[in-house]
Amino acid sequence: MSGDRLSLLIIGGYGTFGGRLARLLGDEPRLRLLIAGRSLEKADDFVADLRAPKDGSEGLGSSNLGATLQAVRFDRDGDLAEQLTRLRPDLVIDASGPFQSFGDDPYKVVRACIGLGIDYADIADSTGFVAGIGGLDAAARAKGIFALSGLSSLPALSFAALDVMAPQFARIDRVAAGIAPSAHVKIGLNVVRAIASYAGRQVAVLRDGQPSTGLGLIEAMRVTVAPPGAVPLRSRTFLLVDAPDLALLPARLPTLQSSFTGVGTEPQLLQRLLSLAARLVHLKLLPSLLPFSPLLQRASHALAIGDHRGGMFVRVGGIDAAGKSLTCGWHLIAEGDDGPFIPITGVAALVRRLLTGNRPENGARPATGELRLEDFEAEFRRFSIATGIRMESEGACLPLYHRILGSAFERLPPAIAAMHSVGHSAGHAGGAHVASGRARIERGGGWLAGIVARLIGFPAAGEDVPVTVRFVAEGDKEIWTRDFGEKRFRSLQLEGKGRDRHLLAEVFGPFRVLVALVPEENKLRLVVRGWRFLRVPLPLFLAPGGETYEEEREGRFHFYVEIGGRLTGLVVRYTGWLVVA
């Protein structure tokens, strides 16, 4: 350490990811952060922005708060030994890239660090770069330093998630991973160039246990990213991308039969156009998409529509100890601007471990297995990030709501969990139970609201109305029959499939409403995510809305259901309580 502070040289320190790393570590007083890049002016401006007071609080690095910040010029094509000797960092972090285009001597920064006995880490996502760094292992060991490559979402985070799920399997056959950035995140030009570099090109994958190739940005798989208990991302197609996991997985999993890594961007229309352009490259009608990288970047910024949410998944398939088919999926969703911090959380976790004296083993290698999932999750706590694992086992028999919520079902208050355990007390599908109580009913006054209410069969307004709900489980579906006084209406509930995966589908006559189940303290919120009329998708902004939740109060199940829309106004609102008979 340099004095009483650990000195970090962040190459690309004012860029897309290096800048976020500096912000993430800037409040740590035991660090000296050297914000480095080719432009000293840009580095100075970035440091000044970090130091500027925001929201009434002091800026990072101001007075005695946080890390010491210093802007420095660093040119990876210059005299590396002279620059590193002058700056004297304890750890060099390369957050620049794209690592796919580092030329004939891609490891010159790593070799310079090894020569001077300086530890090194990067966030590379280039398969060749990450997989090849092991060639410097002997030199790094001889100098007593570590050089870790790929401390990013793929492969460090994906392998950490895989390591948590692997003990559930006797044999792993399939692994797939993907990243789904928010459409509103300003993707850096280097990231676009990295993706464009393999568009339409052959990407090494596994098929039927044998080395094979796929076509970059052409081959695809559909996934719904849905951590248990969170509102899922909209289902999307992930296009094949070249990531280090594809090269590293076979050595970790000798029984592996297939592998896939992908990216799923929004809007999906733009991604389909990108895939079409990749086909033109494959057909040799275009030489490459690299010259179009600036245009692709501008298009992604101009078409920033949809939810400001991003995510990631790692899906593992194989056989469990009982010989049954098992699929596990680790899911992550980041809200708003928090998603772009994920690729640098691995480096942040490594630095925090170094500050506690927990140092990686010497040598040069890919960063797979260096960090545990809990190390990443400790960094995630600073952000609005939800994660969790879903398991789908052959022959498993769970209630409908348990299947949709996954492990989040265990967070439900007892009264709510009991209400949604219909027909499964004996561990088999089928059965029924009845709950009764009292309710207060309000009806909207609009003529269109009246038509909708009559069409579905909602009850008339009333106070202290006796209510009975009969829950009948039939296979993977549930039929809910509600009696409010002398008025009865019925709906069918089932688990969404395909694009509606991980959502609850409730059918009222010709309407199908798609709902996310979200546990929240002592409540279970139902959030509308889509709807259909006679299977035809309808605009979400016209969907029946309103606040709807279930709640446990003093050990009793309570409900609050509000149904309305932009066109109808309030249709019906009914609140009350139920107890299982």
Side-chain angles (χ1 to χ4, degrees), residues 392-416:
E392 300 172 17
S393 180
E394 178 185 356
C397 182
L398 295 173
L400 173 63
Y401 278 53
H402 199 160
R403 294 199 306 272
I404 296 172
L405 282 166
S407 59
F409 188 84
E410 300 167 5
R411 305 207 306 259
L412 295 180
I416 298 178

Side-chain angles (χ1 to χ4, degrees), residues 14 19 27 56 66 78 97 169-170 202 220 257 266 280 305 379 405 438 440 443 478 535 539:
Y14 51 80
D27 61 354
F169 293 84
Q202 290 188 341
Q257 298 295 300
E266 289 284 348
L280 296 179
I305 57 177
E379 299 296 325
L405 282 166
R438 315 294 290 188
R440 178 177 184 270
R443 285 276 294 269
E478 290 184 6
R535 298 186 178 273

Side-chain angles (χ1 to χ4, degrees), residues 107 110 120 122 128-137 147-150 364-367:
Y107 298 109
V110 189
Y120 169 91
D122 65 47
F129 189 94
V130 175
I133 198 171
L136 300 173
D137 183 58
L148 302 178
S149 185
R365 59 193 176 275

Side-chain angles (χ1 to χ4, degrees), residues 16-17 20-21 153 181-182 184-187 308 310 334-345 383 385:
T16 300
F17 296 114
R20 285 181 168 87
L21 178 62
S153 306
S182 165
H184 296 266
V185 170
K186 303 301 183 185
I187 299 176
H308 192 8
E335 304 292 344
D337 292 323
D338 290 347
F341 281 92
I342 294 170
I344 51 86
T345 52
F383 304 103
I385 293 177

Side-chain angles (χ1 to χ4, degrees), residues 492-511:
L492 174 69
Q493 294 192 1
L494 63 157
E495 184 177 3
K497 305 295 183 184
R499 294 173 181 268
D500 304 332
R501 188 170 169 78
H502 303 309
L503 295 174
L504 174 71
E506 184 159 20
V507 181
F508 299 91
F511 293 97

Side-chain angles (χ1 to χ4, degrees), residues 70-91:
Q70 181 181 348
V72 300
R73 186 179 185 278
F74 187 90
D75 185 355
R76 67 186 316 118
D77 295 324
D79 187 336
L80 295 175
E82 184 278 329
Q83 294 176 89
L84 292 172
T85 300
R86 172 168 44 84
L87 296 171
R88 297 180 295 110
D90 299 304
L91 171 65

Side-chain angles (χ1 to χ4, degrees), residues 140-161:
R141 289 179 182 275
K143 280 289 189 175
I145 63 104
F146 64 81
L148 302 178
S149 185
L151 272 167
S152 189
S153 306
L154 302 174
L157 176 53
S158 55
F159 268 68

Side-chain angles (χ1 to χ4, degrees), residues 203-233:
V203 175
V205 297
L206 274 183
R207 298 188 201 278
D208 300 321
Q210 300 299 318
S212 183
T213 58
L215 296 176
L217 301 187
I218 295 176
E219 297 191 18
M221 68 182 298
R222 177 169 288 278
V223 176
T224 300
V225 179
V231 176
L233 291 186

